[in-house]
Amino acid sequence: MTTDAGDVSTLTFEQARDELVHVVAQLEQGSPTLEESLALWTRGEALAARCEEWLLGAKRRLDEARPDGGTVP
């Protein structure tokens, strides 16, 4: 697993979630250097954004599939 802020746009939800869990665990254990902690934090932010993108897309698809077009009275 990488800790750089590289492109996460090709990750599936599950891949991004699993890597995010790993990043959080590393941060909770304490990184040896501030630089490494910042790299982990940056990667975690990118992964969290990717997960949110997937979840919002799924919600949009579910809303569109509802007979009422996703509108709630």
Side-chain angles (χ1 to χ4, degrees):
M1 272 186 216
T2 183
T3 59
D4 67 27
D7 187 23
V8 296
S9 67
T10 60
L11 296 178
T12 66
F13 173 79
E14 290 79 9
Q15 290 169 325
R17 180 204 57 213
D18 291 348
E19 187 176 341
L20 181 56
V21 167
H22 181 73
V23 166
V24 168
Q26 286 183 291
L27 285 168
E28 287 176 341
Q29 291 175 0
S31 299
T33 67
L34 177 60
E35 187 173 305
E36 185 177 313
S37 292
L38 290 173
L40 285 167
W41 182 269
T42 301
R43 183 65 177 178
E45 287 287 320
L47 292 164
R50 180 64 175 157
C51 288
E52 183 175 15
E53 181 182 330
W54 270 106
L55 292 171
L56 290 174
K59 181 183 182 315
R60 184 178 57 249
R61 289 178 60 196
L62 289 171
D63 287 346
E64 290 170 358
R66 291 179 55 176
D68 61 2
T71 59
V72 177

